[in-house]
Every structure is written in structure tokens, then in C-alpha cells.
Amino acid sequence: MQIQENVSLKPYSTMRLGGNAKYLAEVHNKNELIELLQWSNGMQLPTVMIGEGSNIIWTDNGYSGLVIVNKISGFEVERIDTKQAKFTFGSGEPWDKTVQRTVELGYSGLEQLSYIPGTVGGTPVQNVGAYGQEISNVLVEVEAYDSQTDQFVIIPSEQCGFGYRTSRFKTNDKRRFFITAVSVKLTKQHLQPPFYTTLQQYFNDRNIHEYSPAIVRQAVIDIRTSKLPDPNEKANNGSFFSNPIVSDSVFEKLNQQFRDIPHWIVSKNKYKLSAAWLIEQSGFSKGFQDIDTGMGLWPKQALVVVNNSAKSAKDLQSFKDKIIKAVETKFDITLEQEPETITNPSDN
Ligand SMILES: Cc1cc2nc3c(=O)[nH]c(=O)nc-3n(C[C@H](O)[C@H](O)[C@H](O)COP(=O)(O)OP(=O)(O)OC[C@H]3O[C@@H](n4cnc5c(N)ncnc54)[C@H](O)[C@@H]3O)c2cc1C
């Protein structure tokens, strides 16, 4: 196990921006994790564990502690009965390869989450979701090292504090747990319609009436690759802003002024709005390029902020501020950033 010093963090965020880490090390198993944590504790360093950096942004100040890059592997299957099985994945496994393996074994439950970048360990943190599925719907438990009690713990799904794109790992217990494994329960039963609108449209257009995990996975991959940039080719963090959730009174007021405002009812008195639509209506169309900052929007999806030629994380911040201000001026709604900006204790 090698601890490197003064390492550029640009390759450790798919936005490819940020300063240097004081220390950085890869971790391959639980023993190495304990060793690293003992070392960083001894040095009194702030410590963060990351996967592929597909949901994080570093600042130009970098990170003044230890960055642990997760490479913990593992893939185990435990059959429950003829139809169901419990799968346990090492948290450093690449997520999409893991989904592919479950699909190849004929199991359903993860196919709608195909092609999401990142590691297995990143998925419970923001309760990843796509095409009508969320990891919390199939997650059984998470294994993690608890830095408060200095021991490995098993956290059942009900105790993960899951919500829309959130969990206790992202909120109340941020940085407390170092996730080492994730278990899910999957089934051999195929999904049935109706599907999420774009997925259903895909099946209708192609006259597809069979919904094996492999067929659904292929549909999701086709749709995603037609709409989203590959972070290996164009630096980005996927959806940069969350879709705002507003009260019915706020919605009614907006709807009177903007009759065509896209919306979804999420619960009693709560409406979800389309952040992409708000951004486009505020003067930032798909493919917008900001000459001042080198940032822009993806030509097929206005919600995806891309780094065309930015020189620093400050450029991203300026571009983000421009969008937030324009949306606030037009709609009186403040957009919130979805990827996490990782800061140093001394920056705050
Ligand atoms: C093109 C693109 C499309 C995307 N599409 C979607 C989508 O459809 N749905 C969706 O929900 N997300 C999407 N994302 C966001 C992202 O891919 C997911 O959130 C992913 O799960 C992050 O995994 P990661 O390993 O890269 O985590 P990182 O970005 O490295 O880390 C994210 C957070 O999780 C924490 N973390 C990571 N691993 C661990 C661990 N083992 N233990 C403790 N904490 C940990 C980090 O400290 C950080 O706080 C997309 C991103 C991109 C670039």
C-alpha cells in the first residue's frame, strides 16, 4: 500500500478540475482500510473515501488530508430460492460491470440502473436512481467501517436514511462510514410495463413486448448513450442540478405565469419541476458555451454542465452562479447542485 503526497485531484473527479491532495492512497481490502485510517488518525488528518469521482467536485484548494480511492473488489451470490438471490458486491467494483454480471446471470432489479458511472460504494450514498428504479428498492444492507465506534458494522436498508437522491451517508452521517460492501436482493422475475416514459417509448417504437433484464439493460444503455456524454470523453458530472421540489402554492403561482411548465406530483402538496426546462427558459439553451469560463451545457441535455476548456474550479463556480442567478431572476427558484463539492475544514 502506497501513500502518495501532493497528488493532482483532476483525474479523481469526472469534471477534471481541482487542486492537489496532500495525501492519496488506493485501498484494496478491509485490512488496508483499517491501516490507512489508523495512519490518518495518528496524523489527525481529515479523510475522505471516493470511488470514481463521478459525483464529486474538488475546489482549487484541493484536499488538505487523505483521499482514499476505493478499489475493494468482490462479487458473491447466495441463492434464497429458485427465483431470488442475495448478491454482495465489493464497494470498489465498477458499478456498470456489476450490473452487467447480474443481468448475465438472468437477475432483475438493477437493469434500469445500467450505465451509471462510478463504483458500487457510491450508489447508496446518493441512492442512485434512473428510469423509475432506485438502489434503495433492492438494497438489503451495507457493510461499512464506522469511524465513530472503530469497527465494521452492517447497516440494514431501513437504517440508511434513503430519500430522493440522498441517504444518511450524504447528510447526518457524512464521512462517518467507509462503505466496504453492498448487498442487494434480486429476482428472476421480469419487469412488466408500464415503464418510465422514455423507456416505454423506446419499447413502443421498436414493438418490443419482452422485458428480460438483458433487453431492458440494452434499452437503458441505448437511451443513455444517445443523451448523455461519456465522462471519459467529455468532462462532466451527469445532472449538475437537482430537479427542484416546490409546495403547491409556489407551483400554482408559477403555473399562472408559465402555463406550460413541466411538473410531476411527488406527494400531497409537493411538485417536482424540471431543472433542465428552467435553465433553458432562463437563456441557457442546450449546447450553450460560455466563453468566459470554458464551461458549457451538453448539446442534448441542458442539465449536464460540461467542462470544455475551463482552467480552474473557479470557472465552474462562476458558470454555476450565472445559471443559478438567471433561474432565480426569472422563476424565483434557487437551483441546488447535485454533485458534492468536497471542501477542507479550513475552507469553511
Ligand atoms: C454521465 C453521468 C451520468 C450519471 N447518471 C446518474 C444517474 O442516472 N443517476 C444517479 O443517481 N446518478 C448519476 N450520476 C452520478 C454518479 O454516477 C453516481 O452518484 C455514482 O454512484 C457515484 O459513484 P462514484 O464511485 O463515482 O462516487 P464518487 O463521486 O467518488 O463519490 C460520491 C460521494 O460518495 C462518497 N463515497 C463514494 N464511495 C464511498 C465509500 N465506499 N464509502 C463512503 N463514501 C463513499 C464520496 O465521499 C462522495 O461523498 C451520473 C454521473 C455522470 C458523470
Side-chain angles (χ1 to χ4, degrees):
M1 195 174 45
Q2 199 197 346
I3 301 173
Q4 302 173 69
E5 264 189 87
N6 209 18
V7 181
S8 167
L9 284 166
K10 286 194 177 77
Y12 298 98
S13 155
T14 56
M15 196 57 104
R16 309 284 176 238
L17 294 170
N20 287 359
K22 187 154 188 210
Y23 299 101
L24 181 140
E26 284 188 359
V27 67
H28 301 91
N29 54 51
K30 293 202 280 185
N31 286 341
E32 283 186 2
L33 178 63
I34 294 173
E35 259 182 68
L36 274 176
L37 293 176
Q38 282 172 347
W39 179 82
S40 68
N41 267 348
M43 302 272 286
Q44 295 188 321
L45 291 170
T47 303
V48 63
M49 188 159 178
I50 63 161
E52 292 178 7
S54 61
N55 214 23
I56 53 177
I57 288 162
W58 305 104
T59 70
D60 294 324
N61 293 337
Y63 193 67
S64 60
L66 170 68
V67 176
I68 301 180
V69 182
N70 184 14
K71 302 280 178 188
I72 299 174
S73 58
F75 185 98
E76 282 168 27
V77 192
E78 197 186 308
R79 277 181 65 172
I80 300 170
D81 54 36
T82 52
K83 288 251 178 299
Q84 299 181 92
K86 180 181 169 190
F87 288 75
T88 300
F89 314 129
S91 60
E93 291 283 351
W95 173 249
D96 189 53
K97 287 220 169 68
T98 307
V99 173
Q100 186 182 3
R101 286 179 78 178
T102 64
V103 166
E104 281 169 1
L105 291 168
Y107 280 92
S108 169
L110 300 180
E111 61 272 45
Q112 292 132 295
L113 304 179
S114 291
Y115 230 61
I116 295 179
T119 56
V120 164
T123 61
V125 177
Q126 82 146 357
N127 184 18
V128 295
Y131 302 99
Q133 179 65 313
E134 288 181 339
I135 185 72
S136 57
N137 292 333
V138 290
L139 189 136
V140 177
E141 64 203 15
V142 160
E143 181 197 70
Y145 187 83
D146 182 351
S147 62
Q148 262 178 28
T149 59
D150 281 331
Q151 58 185 2
F152 282 98
V153 288
I154 300 288
I155 308 170
S157 182
E158 323 70 88
Q159 289 173 24
C160 289
F162 286 128
Y164 173 68
R165 297 293 176 276
T166 191
S167 74
R168 68 188 288 193
F169 311 114
K170 197 175 172 179
T171 52
N172 299 351
D173 287 317
K174 198 164 149 178
R175 308 268 183 274
R176 170 174 165 186
F177 294 104
F178 295 82
I179 298 169
T180 47
V182 172
S183 300
V184 295
K185 191 159 106 181
L186 305 180
T187 165
K188 289 250 171 172
Q189 264 163 357
H190 294 179
L191 296 171
Q192 291 305 319
F195 290 94
Y196 192 84
T197 325
T198 35
L199 202 49
Q200 189 65 58
Q201 192 61 50
Y202 178 99
F203 294 136
N204 294 349
D205 290 350
R206 289 160 186 78
N207 209 12
I208 294 173
H209 302 286
E210 241 192 86
Y211 310 105
S212 69
I215 289 173
V216 175
R217 171 172 164 79
Q218 192 53 54
V220 169
I221 292 175
D222 288 351
I223 297 168
R224 291 186 73 101
T225 47
S226 72
K227 281 206 305 215
L228 293 169
D230 176 347
N232 293 318
E233 285 162 22
K234 176 62 86 178
N236 80 95
N237 279 118
S239 301
F240 193 80
F241 296 103
S242 306
N243 287 324
I245 307 225
V246 296
S247 67
D248 50 355
S249 57
V250 170
F251 173 72
E252 291 308 336
K253 213 169 127 204
L254 282 167
N255 196 215
Q256 273 173 18
Q257 215 186 333
F258 307 97
R259 301 306 301 181
D260 55 346
I261 186 166
H263 61 277
W264 301 266
I265 298 169
V266 281
S267 63
K268 202 170 163 250
N269 308 334
K270 292 263 182 266
Y271 288 79
K272 184 157 83 180
L273 307 178
S274 159
W277 186 87
L278 298 171
I279 292 168
E280 287 189 70
Q281 297 298 312
S282 304
F284 295 90
S285 52
K286 293 185 186 107
F288 181 92
Q289 301 215 11
D290 191 46
I291 296 156
D292 301 341
T293 60
M295 301 296 305
L297 302 179
W298 183 239
K300 291 175 190 156
Q301 170 56 273
L303 198 50
V304 178
V305 169
V306 293
N307 171 7
N308 294 317
S309 59
K311 296 202 172 41
S312 69
K314 216 164 137 225
D315 289 328
L316 168 61
Q317 183 67 41
S318 312
F319 185 54
K320 169 187 144 182
D321 290 346
K322 280 187 198 179
I323 294 177
I324 290 181
K325 196 159 171 230
V327 172
E328 268 175 356
T329 307
K330 180 141 186 182
F331 297 102
D332 200 17
I333 287 179
T334 307
L335 290 181
E336 281 182 22
Q337 181 181 311
E338 190 174 289
E340 178 191 351
T341 299
I342 300 195
T343 53
N344 293 299
S346 55
D347 296 340
N348 301 319

